[in-house]
Amino acid sequence: MAGEKNRIITIANQKGGVGKTTTAINLATALAAIGERVLIVDLDPQGNASTGLGIERKERRYSSYDVLVGSHRIEDAVLHTAVPNLSIVPSTLDLLGLEMEISQHADRVFRLKKALQADDAQEYTYILIDCPPSFNLLTMNAMAAAHSVLVPLQCEFFALEGLSQLLETINQVRHSVNPTLDIQGIVLTMFDSRNNLAQQVVSDVRTHLGEKVYSTLIPRNVRVSEAPSYGKPAILYDLKCAGSQAYLQLASEVIQRERQRRAA
C-alpha cells in the first residue's frame, strides 16, 4: 500500500451509467478547488475521464496502459488539466488488450500498486482511480492499489441488487489481495426528488448501509450532463448549478471522513 502521504480511492461500480466517471471528475475537481493535490488514474479503456477533462487523444503520448505494462513510470504519463492542482494519467484503447498481455505474470494484480508506490506519486494528497464498469483485471489492479472504494449508486429500482454484488466483490478482494481495503462511502447519484421510487431507493440504501452512505445526494442535472462535451468538469462549466454544488458538498464529506479515520 502506498504510504499515508496520500489517500488512494477507487471509484467503482460493476454497472455502467451510474455516474462513476462524472463522480471521479467532479469530486477530483472539488478536492483540487479546496487546495488538495489530486491525481486521477483513468483505467477505463473508453477514456471518458480523460475526455471529460479536456485531454485530447493526440495528447495521450503515454497512458495508464504504459504504466501497467511497466514500460513507463507514472510521472511519464501524467498530464496537467485546466484545473489547478488536478492532473490525470489518461487512458487509451490499448487497455482493452492488457489482460492478454500480463495475465501470465505473477504480479498482474499489483501492477498499479507498485506504480503508485513510486516517489513521483507521493506528491498527491488524493489519487482517484476511475474503473471500467466491470470486474476485470483493471478493476482488480485498482482495488489492490487503493486504501478505500467509493461507490456511486444510481437511484433506481435495481440499485440494491447491484450493490450487494459489488460489496461481495470488495469482500473477495479484501480476502485475496488487499486486506485493508475499506469502503470510503456510497454516494447516491441521479436523484430526482419528484420521483417516489428515487426517494424509496434512498430510504432503502440508508436503512441497509447506514453511515456508509454519504448525506450528499447528487441530483439529476442537465448542466452536469452537458459539461463533458465541453471537456470540462461541471464545477468549471457551471459552478452554481445544483450538481456542482452537490459535488462540493461530497468533497467536504470525503475529507471529513478521512479526518475521522486519522483521528481514530
Side-chain angles (χ1 to χ4, degrees), residues 2-257:
E4 282 295 296
K5 292 178 183 177
N6 59 28
R7 288 296 287 175
I8 304 173
I9 301 174
T10 286
I11 299 175
N13 193 318
Q14 290 149 294
K15 189 174 185 302
V18 299
K20 181 177 51 61
T21 299
T22 301
T23 296
I25 291 172
N26 287 291
L27 175 58
T29 301
L31 289 168
I34 54 180
E36 304 288 350
R37 292 209 64 190
V38 186
L39 176 69
I40 292 179
V41 179
D42 189 351
L43 282 194
D44 189 339
Q46 295 177 78
N48 290 338
S50 306
T51 305
L53 283 168
I55 307 297
E56 300 285 344
R57 293 200 177 270
K58 63 187 178 188
E59 296 176 64
R60 304 174 201 179
R61 185 180 176 194
Y62 302 119
S63 69
S64 53
Y65 167 83
D66 298 293
V67 172
L68 290 170
V69 297
S71 63
H72 290 85
R73 293 161 56 95
I74 285 278
E75 64 181 357
D76 299 327
V78 166
L79 294 172
H80 299 297
T81 73
V83 180
N85 297 324
L86 176 57
S87 300
I88 188 168
V89 175
S91 93
T92 59
L93 288 170
D94 292 336
L95 281 175
L96 289 170
L98 180 81
E99 196 142 353
M100 290 181 64
E101 288 194 49
I102 69 171
S103 62
Q104 302 304 312
H105 293 254
D107 68 344
R108 60 190 176 276
V109 173
F110 300 106
R111 293 295 183 95
L112 184 60
K113 178 180 177 179
K114 287 181 179 178
L116 293 178
Q117 286 173 331
D119 289 342
D120 43 290
Q122 300 305 313
E123 64 185 89
Y124 303 99
T125 49
Y126 284 92
I127 298 175
L128 305 185
I129 307 171
D130 188 34
C131 295
S134 58
F135 186 63
N136 56 18
L137 186 56
L138 292 168
T139 308
M140 278 288 284
N141 263 270
M143 290 191 180
H147 296 103
S148 61
V149 182
L150 188 154
V151 182
L153 193 69
Q154 187 177 355
C155 293
E156 60 158 30
F157 183 67
F158 291 114
L160 274 173
E161 183 179 299
L163 180 62
S164 64
Q165 293 171 353
L166 182 60
L167 296 179
E168 179 56 34
T169 296
I170 292 169
N171 270 330
Q172 289 172 4
V173 171
R174 199 180 282 138
H175 287 125
S176 58
V177 297
N178 187 354
T180 60
L181 186 66
D182 191 21
I183 297 174
Q184 218 288 338
I186 294 154
V187 58
L188 292 159
T189 63
M190 303 182 190
F191 176 70
D192 184 347
S193 59
R194 301 164 298 179
N195 185 324
N196 289 336
L197 175 60
Q199 300 272 14
Q200 187 61 49
V201 169
V202 171
S203 175
D204 288 349
V205 173
R206 292 200 194 284
T207 298
H208 281 81
L209 293 153
E211 293 182 355
K212 283 294 182 188
V213 186
Y214 296 106
S215 298
T216 303
L217 296 171
I218 308 297
R220 282 196 179 275
N221 188 260
V222 173
R223 303 295 277 173
V224 169
S225 301
E226 288 174 351
S229 64
Y230 292 89
K232 292 180 178 181
I235 290 169
L236 277 193
Y237 180 62
D238 185 350
L239 176 61
K240 294 183 178 179
C241 75
S244 294
Q245 291 299 306
Y247 278 114
L248 289 168
Q249 289 176 5
L250 178 63
S252 296
E253 280 199 76
V254 168
I255 288 174
Q256 183 62 30
R257 290 192 181 195

